[in-house]
Amino acid sequence: MIRKKVDNIKEALEGVQDGMTFMLGGFGLCGIPENAIAELVNLGIKDITCISNNAGVDDFGLGLLLQKKQIKKMISSYVGENDEFERQMLSGELEVELTPQGTLAEKCRAAKAGFPAIYTPAGYGTEVAEGKETREFNGKMYVLEMAYKADFSFVKAWKGDEAGNLIFKGTARNFNPCMCGAANITVAEVEELVPAGELDPNEIHVPGIFVKRIFQGKNYEKRIEQLTVRSR
């Protein structure tokens, strides 16, 4: 059994450099790699491209990297909760590539599966399709979208083992699984790390073959992005 466990966050992020492209899992503030993001902030990595469903909020998630102006380009599908993101985009400080949510997921999955590109009907006839190849299949038009190329994928799982097998929980299954194996190096942080063989094989969502490094995360805030409660 190949052991993927690393002892700390510094070892997990070994090799990250300025100008790289990173995939970051999660949906909203759910299932985001909090430890990896915090370490990227501490390292002062700059001029990076981030592929993520969203840009976090001003003081949490990718918003922490935006505050330090470490991100050169954001590739996302939803960015409406981050005022600093809006300011940087409108001022021209930040390059932004907005992508339909399903297309974002499929471009990650294609990279994971080793496919160079996909055809999708999403975005045909809109700005999304400008400059891209289009083709008709069975009377319907599709847009050719290239699979993503990234240096690192940072994902967060509920539970994992030292061989890199992962189990996700709830909404964290949206983008984390399709980003595993979609970059040159996938780093997984988990809430609970167990020895290889302790996980039920029938419950594993992502096998360890897609994970390069895994470590035990800590100090998760697990913020609620929008809290609605019943009036008393």
Side-chain angles (χ1 to χ4, degrees), residues 89-153:
M89 180 176 70
L90 294 177
S91 68
E93 298 173 46
L94 179 68
E95 186 179 349
V96 178
E97 182 180 314
L98 295 176
T99 303
Q101 195 162 93
T103 302
L104 181 75
E106 282 300 296
K107 290 176 72 168
C108 292
R109 192 180 68 85
K112 172 180 180 177
F115 298 137
I118 61 167
Y119 277 106
T120 173
Y124 177 75
T126 73
E127 293 181 10
V128 172
E130 288 182 4
K132 298 175 183 176
E133 177 186 329
T134 58
R135 184 172 173 181
E136 182 179 343
F137 292 94
N138 300 319
K140 188 172 183 177
M141 296 302 297
Y142 291 77
V143 181
L144 181 69
E145 293 280 0
M146 305 304 293
Y148 287 130
K149 294 181 180 179
D151 299 290
F152 280 82
S153 286

Short mmCIF file of all heavy atoms in Angstrom, two decimals, residues 89-153:
data_model
loop_
_atom_site.label_atom_id
_atom_site.label_comp_id
_atom_site.label_asym_id
_atom_site.label_seq_id
_atom_site.Cartn_x
_atom_site.Cartn_y
_atom_site.Cartn_z
N MET A 89 -12.23 43.31 -9.69
CA MET A 89 -12.65 43.00 -11.06
C MET A 89 -13.02 44.29 -11.80
O MET A 89 -12.59 44.50 -12.94
CB MET A 89 -13.84 42.04 -11.04
CG MET A 89 -14.35 41.66 -12.43
SD MET A 89 -15.70 40.45 -12.39
CE MET A 89 -17.01 41.46 -11.69
N LEU A 90 -13.80 45.15 -11.17
CA LEU A 90 -14.27 46.37 -11.82
C LEU A 90 -13.13 47.36 -12.04
O LEU A 90 -13.17 48.16 -12.99
CB LEU A 90 -15.38 47.02 -11.01
CG LEU A 90 -16.68 46.22 -10.91
CD1 LEU A 90 -17.69 46.93 -10.01
CD2 LEU A 90 -17.29 45.99 -12.29
N SER A 91 -12.11 47.31 -11.19
CA SER A 91 -10.99 48.22 -11.33
C SER A 91 -9.94 47.70 -12.31
O SER A 91 -9.00 48.42 -12.64
CB SER A 91 -10.33 48.46 -9.97
OG SER A 91 -9.70 47.27 -9.50
N GLY A 92 -10.09 46.45 -12.75
CA GLY A 92 -9.13 45.88 -13.67
C GLY A 92 -7.90 45.28 -13.00
O GLY A 92 -6.97 44.83 -13.67
N GLU A 93 -7.91 45.21 -11.67
CA GLU A 93 -6.78 44.63 -10.94
C GLU A 93 -6.76 43.11 -11.05
O GLU A 93 -5.71 42.49 -10.90
CB GLU A 93 -6.85 45.01 -9.46
CG GLU A 93 -6.77 46.50 -9.19
CD GLU A 93 -7.01 46.82 -7.74
OE1 GLU A 93 -6.43 46.13 -6.88
OE2 GLU A 93 -7.80 47.75 -7.44
N LEU A 94 -7.93 42.52 -11.28
CA LEU A 94 -8.07 41.07 -11.28
C LEU A 94 -8.64 40.60 -12.61
O LEU A 94 -9.66 41.11 -13.07
CB LEU A 94 -9.00 40.63 -10.13
CG LEU A 94 -9.29 39.15 -9.97
CD1 LEU A 94 -8.05 38.40 -9.51
CD2 LEU A 94 -10.43 38.94 -8.96
N GLU A 95 -7.98 39.61 -13.21
CA GLU A 95 -8.50 39.00 -14.43
C GLU A 95 -9.54 37.95 -14.03
O GLU A 95 -9.30 37.16 -13.12
CB GLU A 95 -7.37 38.35 -15.22
CG GLU A 95 -7.78 37.81 -16.58
CD GLU A 95 -6.62 37.21 -17.34
OE1 GLU A 95 -5.46 37.40 -16.91
OE2 GLU A 95 -6.88 36.54 -18.36
N VAL A 96 -10.67 37.97 -14.70
CA VAL A 96 -11.77 37.08 -14.32
C VAL A 96 -12.28 36.32 -15.53
O VAL A 96 -12.50 36.90 -16.60
CB VAL A 96 -12.94 37.87 -13.69
CG1 VAL A 96 -14.10 36.94 -13.35
CG2 VAL A 96 -12.48 38.61 -12.45
N GLU A 97 -12.46 35.03 -15.36
CA GLU A 97 -13.07 34.18 -16.40
C GLU A 97 -14.28 33.49 -15.79
O GLU A 97 -14.14 32.54 -15.02
CB GLU A 97 -12.06 33.15 -16.90
CG GLU A 97 -12.58 32.26 -18.02
CD GLU A 97 -11.54 31.26 -18.49
OE1 GLU A 97 -10.38 31.66 -18.71
OE2 GLU A 97 -11.88 30.05 -18.64
N LEU A 98 -15.47 34.01 -16.10
CA LEU A 98 -16.70 33.41 -15.59
C LEU A 98 -17.10 32.24 -16.47
O LEU A 98 -17.12 32.34 -17.69
CB LEU A 98 -17.81 34.46 -15.53
CG LEU A 98 -17.58 35.61 -14.54
CD1 LEU A 98 -18.70 36.63 -14.63
CD2 LEU A 98 -17.46 35.09 -13.11
N THR A 99 -17.45 31.13 -15.84
CA THR A 99 -17.73 29.88 -16.53
C THR A 99 -19.03 29.28 -16.00
O THR A 99 -19.24 29.29 -14.78
CB THR A 99 -16.59 28.87 -16.31
OG1 THR A 99 -15.36 29.45 -16.74
CG2 THR A 99 -16.82 27.59 -17.09
N PRO A 100 -19.92 28.79 -16.87
CA PRO A 100 -21.11 28.10 -16.37
C PRO A 100 -20.74 27.01 -15.37
O PRO A 100 -19.74 26.31 -15.55
CB PRO A 100 -21.73 27.51 -17.64
CG PRO A 100 -21.27 28.42 -18.74
CD PRO A 100 -19.88 28.83 -18.35
N GLN A 101 -21.53 26.87 -14.34
CA GLN A 101 -21.15 25.98 -13.24
C GLN A 101 -20.94 24.53 -13.67
O GLN A 101 -19.97 23.88 -13.27
CB GLN A 101 -22.22 26.05 -12.14
CG GLN A 101 -21.78 25.47 -10.83
CD GLN A 101 -22.65 25.92 -9.68
OE1 GLN A 101 -23.62 25.25 -9.34
NE2 GLN A 101 -22.33 27.06 -9.10
N GLY A 102 -21.84 24.03 -14.49
CA GLY A 102 -21.68 22.65 -14.96
C GLY A 102 -20.46 22.48 -15.84
O GLY A 102 -19.77 21.45 -15.79
N THR A 103 -20.16 23.50 -16.65
CA THR A 103 -18.97 23.45 -17.50
C THR A 103 -17.71 23.45 -16.66
O THR A 103 -16.75 22.73 -16.95
CB THR A 103 -18.96 24.66 -18.47
OG1 THR A 103 -20.15 24.64 -19.25
CG2 THR A 103 -17.75 24.61 -19.39
N LEU A 104 -17.70 24.25 -15.60
CA LEU A 104 -16.55 24.28 -14.68
C LEU A 104 -16.30 22.89 -14.10
O LEU A 104 -15.16 22.40 -14.09
CB LEU A 104 -16.82 25.28 -13.56
CG LEU A 104 -15.71 25.45 -12.52
CD1 LEU A 104 -14.55 26.25 -13.08
CD2 LEU A 104 -16.24 26.13 -11.26
N ALA A 105 -17.35 22.24 -13.65
CA ALA A 105 -17.22 20.90 -13.08
C ALA A 105 -16.74 19.90 -14.11
O ALA A 105 -15.86 19.07 -13.84
CB ALA A 105 -18.56 20.45 -12.48
N GLU A 106 -17.29 19.97 -15.33
CA GLU A 106 -16.93 19.01 -16.37
C GLU A 106 -15.50 19.21 -16.88
O GLU A 106 -14.82 18.24 -17.24
CB GLU A 106 -17.92 19.09 -17.53
CG GLU A 106 -19.24 18.40 -17.25
CD GLU A 106 -19.06 16.91 -16.97
OE1 GLU A 106 -18.61 16.18 -17.88
OE2 GLU A 106 -19.34 16.48 -15.84
N LYS A 107 -15.04 20.46 -16.92
CA LYS A 107 -13.67 20.72 -17.35
C LYS A 107 -12.67 20.18 -16.32
O LYS A 107 -11.58 19.74 -16.68
CB LYS A 107 -13.45 22.22 -17.59
CG LYS A 107 -14.19 22.73 -18.82
CD LYS A 107 -14.07 24.23 -19.00
CE LYS A 107 -12.69 24.63 -19.45
NZ LYS A 107 -12.63 26.03 -19.89
N CYS A 108 -13.06 20.19 -15.04
CA CYS A 108 -12.24 19.56 -14.01
C CYS A 108 -12.27 18.04 -14.16
O CYS A 108 -11.23 17.36 -14.11
CB CYS A 108 -12.74 19.95 -12.62
SG CYS A 108 -12.52 21.68 -12.18
N ARG A 109 -13.48 17.51 -14.36
CA ARG A 109 -13.62 16.06 -14.49
C ARG A 109 -12.89 15.53 -15.71
O ARG A 109 -12.31 14.44 -15.68
CB ARG A 109 -15.10 15.68 -14.55
CG ARG A 109 -15.37 14.19 -14.40
CD ARG A 109 -16.86 13.90 -14.48
NE ARG A 109 -17.37 14.15 -15.81
CZ ARG A 109 -17.33 13.26 -16.81
NH1 ARG A 109 -16.78 12.07 -16.62
NH2 ARG A 109 -17.83 13.55 -17.99
N ALA A 110 -12.92 16.31 -16.81
CA ALA A 110 -12.22 15.90 -18.03
C ALA A 110 -10.72 15.82 -17.76
O ALA A 110 -10.04 14.88 -18.19
CB ALA A 110 -12.51 16.88 -19.15
N ALA A 111 -10.19 16.80 -17.05
CA ALA A 111 -8.77 16.79 -16.71
C ALA A 111 -8.44 15.57 -15.85
O ALA A 111 -7.41 14.92 -16.03
CB ALA A 111 -8.39 18.08 -16.00
N LYS A 112 -9.34 15.27 -14.92
CA LYS A 112 -9.15 14.11 -14.04
C LYS A 112 -9.12 12.81 -14.84
O LYS A 112 -8.32 11.92 -14.56
CB LYS A 112 -10.27 14.07 -13.00
CG LYS A 112 -10.32 12.83 -12.14
CD LYS A 112 -11.47 12.91 -11.16
CE LYS A 112 -11.53 11.69 -10.27
NZ LYS A 112 -12.61 11.80 -9.25
N ALA A 113 -9.98 12.71 -15.85
CA ALA A 113 -10.10 11.48 -16.64
C ALA A 113 -9.09 11.40 -17.77
O ALA A 113 -9.01 10.37 -18.44
CB ALA A 113 -11.52 11.38 -17.21
N GLY A 114 -8.34 12.47 -18.01
CA GLY A 114 -7.35 12.46 -19.07
C GLY A 114 -7.88 12.87 -20.43
O GLY A 114 -7.21 12.68 -21.44
N PHE A 115 -9.09 13.47 -20.46
CA PHE A 115 -9.65 13.96 -21.72
C PHE A 115 -9.15 15.38 -21.98
O PHE A 115 -9.15 16.21 -21.07
CB PHE A 115 -11.18 13.95 -21.68
CG PHE A 115 -11.78 12.59 -21.50
CD1 PHE A 115 -12.85 12.40 -20.63
CD2 PHE A 115 -11.27 11.50 -22.17
CE1 PHE A 115 -13.41 11.15 -20.45
CE2 PHE A 115 -11.82 10.24 -22.00
CZ PHE A 115 -12.89 10.06 -21.14
N PRO A 116 -8.76 15.70 -23.21
CA PRO A 116 -8.24 17.04 -23.49
C PRO A 116 -9.33 18.10 -23.57
O PRO A 116 -9.05 19.29 -23.38
CB PRO A 116 -7.55 16.88 -24.84
CG PRO A 116 -8.29 15.75 -25.50
CD PRO A 116 -8.66 14.81 -24.39
N ALA A 117 -10.57 17.70 -23.87
CA ALA A 117 -11.64 18.68 -24.06
C ALA A 117 -13.00 17.99 -23.99
O ALA A 117 -13.09 16.76 -24.00
CB ALA A 117 -11.49 19.37 -25.41
N ILE A 118 -14.05 18.80 -23.90
CA ILE A 118 -15.43 18.31 -23.91
C ILE A 118 -16.27 19.19 -24.82
O ILE A 118 -15.90 20.33 -25.12
CB ILE A 118 -16.05 18.32 -22.50
CG1 ILE A 118 -16.09 19.76 -21.95
CG2 ILE A 118 -15.31 17.39 -21.56
CD1 ILE A 118 -16.95 19.95 -20.72
N TYR A 119 -17.39 18.67 -25.28
CA TYR A 119 -18.39 19.48 -25.97
C TYR A 119 -19.57 19.67 -25.02
O TYR A 119 -20.04 18.72 -24.40
CB TYR A 119 -18.87 18.78 -27.24
CG TYR A 119 -17.98 18.99 -28.44
CD1 TYR A 119 -17.16 17.97 -28.90
CD2 TYR A 119 -17.98 20.20 -29.13
CE1 TYR A 119 -16.34 18.15 -30.01
CE2 TYR A 119 -17.17 20.40 -30.25
CZ TYR A 119 -16.35 19.36 -30.69
OH TYR A 119 -15.54 19.56 -31.77
N THR A 120 -20.04 20.92 -24.91
CA THR A 120 -21.17 21.22 -24.04
C THR A 120 -22.12 22.20 -24.73
O THR A 120 -21.66 23.10 -25.45
CB THR A 120 -20.70 21.81 -22.70
OG1 THR A 120 -21.85 22.24 -21.94
CG2 THR A 120 -19.79 23.01 -22.92
N PRO A 121 -23.43 22.06 -24.53
CA PRO A 121 -24.37 23.02 -25.11
C PRO A 121 -24.41 24.33 -24.32
O PRO A 121 -24.89 25.35 -24.82
CB PRO A 121 -25.71 22.29 -25.03
CG PRO A 121 -25.56 21.38 -23.85
CD PRO A 121 -24.13 20.94 -23.87
N ALA A 122 -23.91 24.32 -23.08
CA ALA A 122 -23.97 25.51 -22.22
C ALA A 122 -23.14 26.64 -22.82
O ALA A 122 -21.98 26.46 -23.17
CB ALA A 122 -23.47 25.17 -20.83
N GLY A 123 -23.76 27.79 -22.94
CA GLY A 123 -23.04 28.97 -23.40
C GLY A 123 -23.08 29.21 -24.89
O GLY A 123 -22.62 30.26 -25.36
N TYR A 124 -23.64 28.28 -25.67
CA TYR A 124 -23.68 28.50 -27.12
C TYR A 124 -24.54 29.73 -27.43
O TYR A 124 -25.60 29.92 -26.87
CB TYR A 124 -24.26 27.28 -27.84
CG TYR A 124 -24.39 27.52 -29.33
CD1 TYR A 124 -23.28 27.51 -30.15
CD2 TYR A 124 -25.63 27.80 -29.90
CE1 TYR A 124 -23.39 27.76 -31.51
CE2 TYR A 124 -25.76 28.05 -31.26
CZ TYR A 124 -24.63 28.03 -32.06
OH TYR A 124 -24.74 28.29 -33.41
N GLY A 125 -24.03 30.59 -28.32
CA GLY A 125 -24.74 31.79 -28.69
C GLY A 125 -24.55 32.95 -27.73
O GLY A 125 -25.20 33.98 -27.87
N THR A 126 -23.68 32.78 -26.73
CA THR A 126 -23.42 33.83 -25.75
C THR A 126 -21.94 34.21 -25.78
O THR A 126 -21.15 33.64 -26.55
CB THR A 126 -23.78 33.38 -24.32
OG1 THR A 126 -22.81 32.43 -23.87
CG2 THR A 126 -25.16 32.74 -24.30
N GLU A 127 -21.56 35.15 -24.93
CA GLU A 127 -20.16 35.56 -24.83
C GLU A 127 -19.25 34.39 -24.47
O GLU A 127 -18.07 34.39 -24.81
CB GLU A 127 -20.01 36.66 -23.79
CG GLU A 127 -20.67 37.98 -24.17
CD GLU A 127 -20.47 39.04 -23.11
OE1 GLU A 127 -19.66 38.78 -22.18
OE2 GLU A 127 -21.11 40.09 -23.19
N VAL A 128 -19.79 33.41 -23.77
CA VAL A 128 -18.99 32.26 -23.34
C VAL A 128 -18.39 31.53 -24.55
O VAL A 128 -17.28 30.98 -24.47
CB VAL A 128 -19.86 31.29 -22.50
CG1 VAL A 128 -19.12 29.99 -22.22
CG2 VAL A 128 -20.26 31.95 -21.19
N ALA A 129 -19.10 31.54 -25.67
CA ALA A 129 -18.67 30.78 -26.85
C ALA A 129 -17.79 31.58 -27.80
O ALA A 129 -17.29 31.02 -28.79
CB ALA A 129 -19.90 30.27 -27.60
N GLU A 130 -17.57 32.85 -27.51
CA GLU A 130 -16.80 33.68 -28.43
C GLU A 130 -15.36 33.17 -28.58
O GLU A 130 -14.68 32.92 -27.59
CB GLU A 130 -16.77 35.13 -27.93
CG GLU A 130 -18.12 35.84 -28.09
CD GLU A 130 -18.05 37.29 -27.63
OE1 GLU A 130 -16.94 37.75 -27.26
OE2 GLU A 130 -19.11 37.95 -27.63
N GLY A 131 -14.96 32.98 -29.86
CA GLY A 131 -13.61 32.52 -30.14
C GLY A 131 -13.38 31.04 -29.96
O GLY A 131 -12.26 30.55 -30.11
N LYS A 132 -14.45 30.28 -29.65
CA LYS A 132 -14.32 28.84 -29.43
C LYS A 132 -14.95 28.06 -30.58
O LYS A 132 -15.87 28.54 -31.26
CB LYS A 132 -14.99 28.44 -28.11
CG LYS A 132 -14.36 29.08 -26.89
CD LYS A 132 -15.12 28.75 -25.62
CE LYS A 132 -14.52 29.45 -24.42
NZ LYS A 132 -15.31 29.22 -23.19
N GLU A 133 -14.46 26.87 -30.79
CA GLU A 133 -15.01 26.00 -31.82
C GLU A 133 -16.41 25.54 -31.42
O GLU A 133 -16.67 25.21 -30.26
CB GLU A 133 -14.12 24.77 -32.01
CG GLU A 133 -14.63 23.77 -33.00
CD GLU A 133 -13.80 22.50 -33.06
OE1 GLU A 133 -12.58 22.59 -32.81
OE2 GLU A 133 -14.37 21.42 -33.32
N THR A 134 -17.35 25.53 -32.38
CA THR A 134 -18.69 25.00 -32.14
C THR A 134 -18.98 23.90 -33.15
O THR A 134 -18.41 23.89 -34.25
CB THR A 134 -19.76 26.10 -32.24
OG1 THR A 134 -19.70 26.69 -33.55
CG2 THR A 134 -19.54 27.18 -31.19
N ARG A 135 -19.86 23.00 -32.77
CA ARG A 135 -20.16 21.87 -33.66
C ARG A 135 -21.58 21.38 -33.39
O ARG A 135 -22.07 21.44 -32.25
CB ARG A 135 -19.16 20.74 -33.42
CG ARG A 135 -19.32 19.55 -34.36
CD ARG A 135 -18.18 18.58 -34.18
NE ARG A 135 -18.37 17.37 -34.95
CZ ARG A 135 -17.55 16.33 -34.97
NH1 ARG A 135 -16.44 16.38 -34.25
NH2 ARG A 135 -17.82 15.26 -35.70
N GLU A 136 -22.21 20.90 -34.44
CA GLU A 136 -23.58 20.39 -34.31
C GLU A 136 -23.58 18.88 -34.11
O GLU A 136 -22.90 18.14 -34.83
CB GLU A 136 -24.38 20.74 -35.57
CG GLU A 136 -25.83 20.29 -35.51
CD GLU A 136 -26.61 20.66 -36.76
OE1 GLU A 136 -26.12 21.54 -37.52
OE2 GLU A 136 -27.68 20.07 -36.99
N PHE A 137 -24.36 18.44 -33.15
CA PHE A 137 -24.57 17.01 -32.90
C PHE A 137 -26.07 16.78 -32.82
O PHE A 137 -26.76 17.38 -31.97
CB PHE A 137 -23.91 16.56 -31.59
CG PHE A 137 -22.41 16.58 -31.60
CD1 PHE A 137 -21.72 17.68 -31.13
CD2 PHE A 137 -21.69 15.50 -32.08
CE1 PHE A 137 -20.34 17.71 -31.11
CE2 PHE A 137 -20.30 15.51 -32.07
CZ PHE A 137 -19.63 16.62 -31.60
N ASN A 138 -26.59 15.93 -33.68
CA ASN A 138 -28.01 15.58 -33.66
C ASN A 138 -28.92 16.81 -33.63
O ASN A 138 -29.91 16.87 -32.89
CB ASN A 138 -28.33 14.68 -32.45
CG ASN A 138 -27.54 13.39 -32.48
OD1 ASN A 138 -27.38 12.78 -33.53
ND2 ASN A 138 -27.05 12.97 -31.32
N GLY A 139 -28.54 17.81 -34.43
CA GLY A 139 -29.37 19.00 -34.57
C GLY A 139 -29.22 20.03 -33.47
O GLY A 139 -29.95 21.02 -33.45
N LYS A 140 -28.28 19.82 -32.57
CA LYS A 140 -28.06 20.77 -31.47
C LYS A 140 -26.62 21.25 -31.49
O LYS A 140 -25.70 20.46 -31.73
CB LYS A 140 -28.39 20.09 -30.13
CG LYS A 140 -28.37 21.03 -28.94
CD LYS A 140 -28.90 20.32 -27.69
CE LYS A 140 -28.98 21.26 -26.50
NZ LYS A 140 -29.55 20.60 -25.31
N MET A 141 -26.42 22.54 -31.21
CA MET A 141 -25.08 23.12 -31.25
C MET A 141 -24.37 22.99 -29.90
O MET A 141 -24.98 23.15 -28.84
CB MET A 141 -25.15 24.59 -31.66
CG MET A 141 -25.68 24.82 -33.06
SD MET A 141 -24.70 23.95 -34.34
CE MET A 141 -23.10 24.76 -34.14
N TYR A 142 -23.08 22.72 -29.99
CA TYR A 142 -22.25 22.54 -28.80
C TYR A 142 -20.99 23.38 -28.91
O TYR A 142 -20.52 23.69 -30.01
CB TYR A 142 -21.85 21.07 -28.63
CG TYR A 142 -22.99 20.16 -28.28
CD1 TYR A 142 -23.92 19.75 -29.23
CD2 TYR A 142 -23.16 19.70 -26.97
CE1 TYR A 142 -24.98 18.91 -28.91
CE2 TYR A 142 -24.21 18.85 -26.63
CZ TYR A 142 -25.12 18.47 -27.60
OH TYR A 142 -26.15 17.65 -27.27
N VAL A 143 -20.43 23.71 -27.76
CA VAL A 143 -19.20 24.50 -27.67
C VAL A 143 -18.06 23.59 -27.20
O VAL A 143 -18.24 22.81 -26.26
CB VAL A 143 -19.36 25.67 -26.68
CG1 VAL A 143 -18.07 26.49 -26.61
CG2 VAL A 143 -20.54 26.54 -27.07
N LEU A 144 -16.91 23.69 -27.87
CA LEU A 144 -15.74 22.92 -27.44
C LEU A 144 -15.05 23.66 -26.29
O LEU A 144 -14.65 24.81 -26.44
CB LEU A 144 -14.76 22.74 -28.60
CG LEU A 144 -13.49 21.94 -28.27
CD1 LEU A 144 -13.84 20.47 -28.02
CD2 LEU A 144 -12.46 22.07 -29.38
N GLU A 145 -14.93 23.00 -25.17
CA GLU A 145 -14.26 23.57 -24.00
C GLU A 145 -13.05 22.70 -23.65
O GLU A 145 -13.15 21.49 -23.52
CB GLU A 145 -15.21 23.60 -22.79
CG GLU A 145 -16.38 24.56 -22.94
CD GLU A 145 -15.98 26.01 -22.65
OE1 GLU A 145 -14.80 26.24 -22.33
OE2 GLU A 145 -16.87 26.88 -22.71
N MET A 146 -11.89 23.35 -23.51
CA MET A 146 -10.67 22.62 -23.18
C MET A 146 -10.65 22.25 -21.70
O MET A 146 -11.11 23.02 -20.85
CB MET A 146 -9.45 23.48 -23.51
CG MET A 146 -9.40 23.97 -24.96
SD MET A 146 -9.48 22.62 -26.18
CE MET A 146 -7.93 21.80 -25.85
N ALA A 147 -10.13 21.07 -21.39
CA ALA A 147 -9.98 20.66 -20.00
C ALA A 147 -8.98 21.59 -19.30
O ALA A 147 -8.10 22.16 -19.94
CB ALA A 147 -9.49 19.22 -19.93
N TYR A 148 -9.16 21.74 -18.01
CA TYR A 148 -8.27 22.60 -17.26
C TYR A 148 -6.89 21.97 -17.10
O TYR A 148 -6.75 20.74 -17.06
CB TYR A 148 -8.83 22.90 -15.87
CG TYR A 148 -10.01 23.84 -15.88
CD1 TYR A 148 -11.18 23.53 -15.21
CD2 TYR A 148 -9.93 25.07 -16.54
CE1 TYR A 148 -12.25 24.41 -15.21
CE2 TYR A 148 -11.01 25.94 -16.55
CZ TYR A 148 -12.16 25.61 -15.88
OH TYR A 148 -13.22 26.47 -15.88
N LYS A 149 -5.89 22.82 -16.98
CA LYS A 149 -4.54 22.39 -16.64
C LYS A 149 -4.14 23.12 -15.37
O LYS A 149 -4.16 24.34 -15.32
CB LYS A 149 -3.56 22.72 -17.78
CG LYS A 149 -3.81 21.94 -19.06
CD LYS A 149 -2.79 22.31 -20.13
CE LYS A 149 -3.04 21.52 -21.41
NZ LYS A 149 -2.06 21.88 -22.47
N ALA A 150 -3.80 22.38 -14.34
CA ALA A 150 -3.46 22.99 -13.06
C ALA A 150 -2.24 22.30 -12.46
O ALA A 150 -1.97 21.12 -12.72
CB ALA A 150 -4.64 22.90 -12.09
N ASP A 151 -1.52 23.06 -11.65
CA ASP A 151 -0.33 22.52 -10.99
C ASP A 151 -0.70 21.76 -9.72
O ASP A 151 -0.15 20.70 -9.45
CB ASP A 151 0.63 23.67 -10.66
CG ASP A 151 1.10 24.41 -11.90
OD1 ASP A 151 1.87 23.82 -12.67
OD2 ASP A 151 0.68 25.57 -12.09
N PHE A 152 -1.64 22.32 -8.95
CA PHE A 152 -2.07 21.68 -7.71
C PHE A 152 -3.60 21.71 -7.62
O PHE A 152 -4.23 22.67 -8.05
CB PHE A 152 -1.52 22.42 -6.48
CG PHE A 152 -0.10 22.11 -6.13
CD1 PHE A 152 0.94 22.74 -6.79
CD2 PHE A 152 0.21 21.20 -5.12
CE1 PHE A 152 2.26 22.47 -6.46
CE2 PHE A 152 1.52 20.92 -4.78
CZ PHE A 152 2.56 21.56 -5.45
N SER A 153 -4.17 20.66 -7.04
CA SER A 153 -5.56 20.65 -6.60
C SER A 153 -5.56 20.57 -5.08
O SER A 153 -4.89 19.69 -4.51
CB SER A 153 -6.33 19.45 -7.16
OG SER A 153 -6.62 19.60 -8.52
#
